[in-house]
């Protein structure tokens, strides 16, 4: 049935291509999805479906609710995107048919999600009610509800990431703890409270191919690390007092840890409250450098080959993007794409980067080797950009 | 140089002062109203940048919800102080470098009334 629909769409394609303007919500001709992705349109509850080979927008899908803070993961066949919206909406998009496949409101206020390594479970991190809910990826039926109970009630959860073996790691903002939900033995999780991370973990990520979970702390200078290869699991503190002796600036936007790839043997990541990108050795977990940058970093994203990292910044210095060379550890290029640069996403092999410029209603596409602007596309208040290649990465 | 007071203050400010008298109890008196362009910028700032933590719809995120029902018992002036100075030992930063007292009072008052939406 599905295949016939796609074939039919394929026959109709030449007609669609002949129409002026871009097709919207029209099924695509038979094609793969490895070069597709989505751009969140923050203010209008819509997403754009993009094609990084054509460097173009294929269509727009609306009706996704409040996307003021939204992120997405992809099914392992790269056909479906799961979009996590601020209003607790979990929307499954069909990128080929360019429509909403399923949509539920699973919570009151959510922050992000993850998909299990086997592609069968989608987990959502909620602020309200504080905790994590887990759903069947195919049907969006609820599998598990994990309230983040602590002494103060329910804690907001952040930094949700998938780990190998049907596991999800996450951090509790108020409680300052790191937990794991282990679905290795079926759909009833074993919930392990690994330990105390520190004051106000704000985000977390999986590093080193699934071995390490790291939570960044907002309330103190330092980070919390869990080595998933060590039994029993425990939280270790790293980089304690990395900003010692420096005056911390007010923070107008929480940084993110996503894109914290190991580059040239080191990790590059945002300092909280400082105009610096920090460099940590990937073996000793010691701070080995501080790179002065334009403002407080929000995203510090390594190009997939690790040679460069691209950095955007918090309000009010958020009109700028800088590129750091990981060999010299110096800023080699400063762009000013326009007001409110919110996100950056590299193509799978890193030859292009797509940059959202919210207040210019624009997406900029750069060649990451020549550092030249290749193309601009119109979008309505674009924020997150997510490409289907994420389907095959652990811990996003 | 001498100018008549009315010319210096301008009609907008006089209106604000007149409005301030009616709101004297909430400490609004004496603060200038931001002009139309400033109001547009403030709405954008609150929706987008305060929205980073409080949510673009202001129903809360990592930061507290800022809807009228959440602020019903709060004094406008006290809210403006929080906006300007932040809350020490919490993630709420001071906005004094970007906002005047009049801006902060306007934001506090509008939050209590129901904050306006951005118009394209």
């Amino acid at each position: 049935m599905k295949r016939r629909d796609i074939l039919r769409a394929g026959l109709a394609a030449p007609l669609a291509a002949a129409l002026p303007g871009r097709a919207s919500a029209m099924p695509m001709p038979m094609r793969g999805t490895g070069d597709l992705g989505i751009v969140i349109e923050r203010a209008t509850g819509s997403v754009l479906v993009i094609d990084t080979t054509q460097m173009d927008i294929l269509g727009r899908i609306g009706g996704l609710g409040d996307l003021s803070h939204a992120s997405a993961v992809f099914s392992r066949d790269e056909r479906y995107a799961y979009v996590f919206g601020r209003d607790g909406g979990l929307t499954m998009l069909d990128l080929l048919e360019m429509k909403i496949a399923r949509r539920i409101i699973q919570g009151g206020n959510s922050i992000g999600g993850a998909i299990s390594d086997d592609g069968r479970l989608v987990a959502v991190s909620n602020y309200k009610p504080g905790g994590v809910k887990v759903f069947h990826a195919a049907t969006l039926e609820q599998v598990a509800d994990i309230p983040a109970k602590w002494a103060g009630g329910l804690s907001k959860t952040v930094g949700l990431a998938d780990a190998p073996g049907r596991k999800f790691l996450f951090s509790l903002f108020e409680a300052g703890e790191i937990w794991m939900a282990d679905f290795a033995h079926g759909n009833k999780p074993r919930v392990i409270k690994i330990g105390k991370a520190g004051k106000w973990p704000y985000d977390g990520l999986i590093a080193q191919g699934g071995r390490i979970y790291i939570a960044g702390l907002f309330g103190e200078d330092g980070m919390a690390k869990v080595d998933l290869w060590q039994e029993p699991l425990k939280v270790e503190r790293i980089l304690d007092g990395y900003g010692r002796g420096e005056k911390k600036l007010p923070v107008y936007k929480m940084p993110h840890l996503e894109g914290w790839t190991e580059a040239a043997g080191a990790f590059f990541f945002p300092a909280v409250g400082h105009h610096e990108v920090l460099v940590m050795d990937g073996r000793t977990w010691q701070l080995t450098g501080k790179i002065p940058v334009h403002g407080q970093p929000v995203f510090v994203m390594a190009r997939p080959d690790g040679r460069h990292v691209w950095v955007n910044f918090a309000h009010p210095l958020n009109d700028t993007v800088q590129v750091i060379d990981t060999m010299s550890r110096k800023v080699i290029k400063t762009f000013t794409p326009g007001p409110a640069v919110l996100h950056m996403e590299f193509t799978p092999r890193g030859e292009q980067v797509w940059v959202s410029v919210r207040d210019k209603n624009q997406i900029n596409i750069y060649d990451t080797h020549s550092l030249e602007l290749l193309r601009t596309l119109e979008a309505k208040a674009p924020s997150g950009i997510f490409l289907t290649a994420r389907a095959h990465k652990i811990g996003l | 140089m001498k100018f008549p007071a009315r010319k210096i203050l301008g009609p907008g400010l006089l209106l604000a002062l007149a409005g301030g008298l009616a709101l004297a109890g909430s400490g609004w008196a004496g603060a200038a109203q931001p002009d139309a362009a400033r109001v547009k910028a403030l709405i954008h700032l609150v929706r987008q940048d305060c929205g980073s933590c409080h949510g673009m719809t202001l129903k809360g995120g990592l930061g507290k919800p800022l809807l009228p029902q959440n602020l019903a018992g709060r004094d406008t002036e006290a809210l403006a102080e929080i906006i300007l100075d932040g809350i020490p030992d919490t993630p709420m930063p001071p906005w004094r470098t970007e906002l005047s007292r009049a801006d902060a009072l306007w934001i506090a008052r509008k939050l209590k009334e129901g904050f306006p939406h951005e118009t394209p």
Side-chain angles (χ1 to χ4, degrees):
Chain A
M1 197 58 179
K2 283 270 151 60
R3 178 174 291 177
R4 204 181 308 148
D5 285 347
I6 295 165
L7 283 174
R8 202 181 301 139
L11 292 173
L15 185 64
L19 292 171
R22 295 193 183 99
S24 179
M26 186 168 293
M28 281 186 232
M30 187 189 289
R31 61 163 297 160
T33 55
D35 54 358
L36 299 187
I38 61 170
V39 178
I40 306 289
E41 293 187 306
R42 197 167 186 260
T44 45
S46 51
V47 307
L48 299 174
V49 178
I50 53 173
D51 177 330
T52 57
T53 304
Q54 304 299 323
M55 287 195 280
D56 209 349
I57 293 162
L58 300 180
R60 172 178 280 124
I61 307 171
L64 281 85
D66 177 1
L67 297 182
S68 58
H69 188 290
S71 63
V73 297
F74 293 90
S75 63
R76 60 198 271 144
D77 64 3
E78 297 189 352
R79 175 170 177 175
Y80 299 99
Y82 299 89
V83 181
F84 310 100
R86 168 66 91 194
D87 57 358
L90 168 56
T91 311
M92 182 181 179
L93 298 178
D94 184 333
L95 300 182
L96 286 175
E97 299 208 22
M98 248 195 260
K99 65 175 196 194
I100 292 174
R102 292 174 195 280
R103 175 171 161 80
I104 58 168
I105 299 289
Q106 56 79 38
N109 194 332
S110 61
I111 186 65
I115 187 163
S116 60
D117 51 4
D118 63 357
R120 295 183 189 281
L121 300 172
V122 172
V124 191
S125 172
N126 285 318
Y127 283 167
K128 212 169 143 185
V132 169
K133 286 186 183 174
V134 181
F135 302 87
H136 281 291
T139 62
L140 301 190
E141 279 167 52
Q142 188 168 309
V143 171
D145 182 9
I146 305 161
K149 272 191 208 124
W150 74 299
L154 289 178
S155 181
K156 298 183 189 88
T157 54
V158 298
L160 175 65
D162 58 284
R166 279 169 60 100
K167 295 180 178 75
F168 295 104
L169 275 287
F170 55 96
S171 300
L172 282 63
F173 181 72
E174 291 90 345
E177 293 173 3
I178 298 175
W179 290 16
M180 179 168 83
D182 180 354
F183 289 84
H185 302 290
N187 286 346
K188 198 169 155 33
R190 199 161 58 104
V191 178
I192 300 160
K193 299 173 185 177
I194 299 173
K196 198 83 186 157
K199 193 172 182 187
W200 298 328
Y202 65 88
D203 199 5
L205 88 163
I206 293 280
Q208 297 187 346
R211 176 172 177 176
I212 304 288
Y213 178 81
I214 295 171
L217 301 174
F218 187 83
E220 46 189 315
D221 281 346
M223 297 195 139
K225 168 172 90 76
V226 178
D227 182 345
L228 298 169
W229 289 9
Q230 302 282 353
E231 284 288 341
L233 293 173
K234 61 175 193 288
V235 180
E236 289 171 81
R237 286 291 296 264
I238 51 173
L239 300 182
D240 274 338
Y242 64 70
R244 193 167 289 142
E246 296 172 26
K247 192 170 157 43
K248 201 164 179 165
L249 303 164
V251 177
Y252 294 102
K253 167 122 183 86
M254 287 271 176
H256 284 248
L257 289 181
E258 177 213 316
W260 222 60
T261 320
E262 200 166 4
F267 287 106
F268 293 74
F269 60 99
V272 180
H274 305 285
H275 291 195
E276 288 169 350
V277 167
L278 303 179
V279 189
M280 176 172 65
D281 186 280
R283 287 166 301 278
T284 63
W285 306 102
Q286 298 293 311
L287 195 68
T288 56
K290 295 178 178 181
I291 304 168
V293 288
H294 173 74
Q296 293 184 33
V298 175
F299 284 98
V300 176
M301 312 277 272
R303 196 172 73 183
D305 69 338
R307 180 63 202 269
H308 292 162
V309 297
W310 286 56
V311 188
N312 74 333
F313 301 98
H315 175 90
L317 298 171
N318 59 1
D319 64 345
T320 297
V321 168
Q322 289 187 312
V323 181
I324 294 169
D325 177 73
T326 55
M327 293 288 282
S328 67
R329 299 187 176 178
K330 286 195 166 67
V331 173
I332 55 162
K333 178 85 179 176
T334 300
F335 298 102
T336 314
V341 175
L342 291 197
H343 196 218
M344 303 168 287
E345 176 90 336
F346 291 95
T347 46
R349 302 226 195 153
E351 86 291 351
Q352 286 171 24
V353 65
W354 288 50
V355 175
S356 57
V357 193
R358 185 192 65 204
D359 291 352
K360 211 174 172 184
N361 296 307
Q362 188 172 298
I363 300 160
N364 287 7
I365 308 169
Y366 296 91
D367 179 315
T368 61
H369 295 275
S370 69
L371 302 181
E372 273 167 28
L373 179 65
L374 296 174
R375 190 151 186 203
T376 63
L377 297 169
E378 254 180 66
K380 296 175 191 165
S383 59
I385 304 173
F386 304 95
L387 300 184
T388 53
R390 286 172 175 253
H392 305 295
K393 287 190 193 142
I394 289 170
L396 282 178
Chain B
M1 277 210 257
K2 274 188 177 175
F3 292 101
R6 195 176 297 159
K7 203 160 189 177
I8 295 170
L9 291 171
L13 186 52
L14 282 179
L15 270 176
L17 283 172
L21 287 176
L23 289 162
S26 57
W28 184 243
Q33 274 270 33
D35 65 19
R38 185 66 184 156
V39 160
K40 196 172 159 67
L42 292 178
I43 294 172
H44 186 71
L45 180 94
V46 170
R47 289 278 168 199
Q48 300 297 336
D49 296 305
C50 302
S52 291
C53 284
H54 296 283
M56 204 167 65
T57 55
L58 304 173
K59 67 175 195 175
L62 266 192
K64 289 184 174 157
L66 300 177
L67 297 172
Q69 61 267 34
N70 310 117
L71 302 175
R74 306 294 288 266
D75 178 62
T76 306
E77 187 126 342
L79 290 174
E81 292 301 318
I82 290 174
I83 294 168
L84 291 173
D85 294 332
I87 306 176
D89 206 34
T90 77
M92 176 66 187
W95 291 83
R96 195 179 282 282
T97 51
E98 286 183 59
L99 298 175
S100 68
R101 194 178 135 73
D103 292 338
L105 281 166
W106 183 88
I107 290 169
R109 187 162 62 85
K110 288 295 175 186
L111 286 172
K112 282 175 68 73
E113 286 172 6
F115 202 79
H117 288 271
E118 284 194 81
T119 45

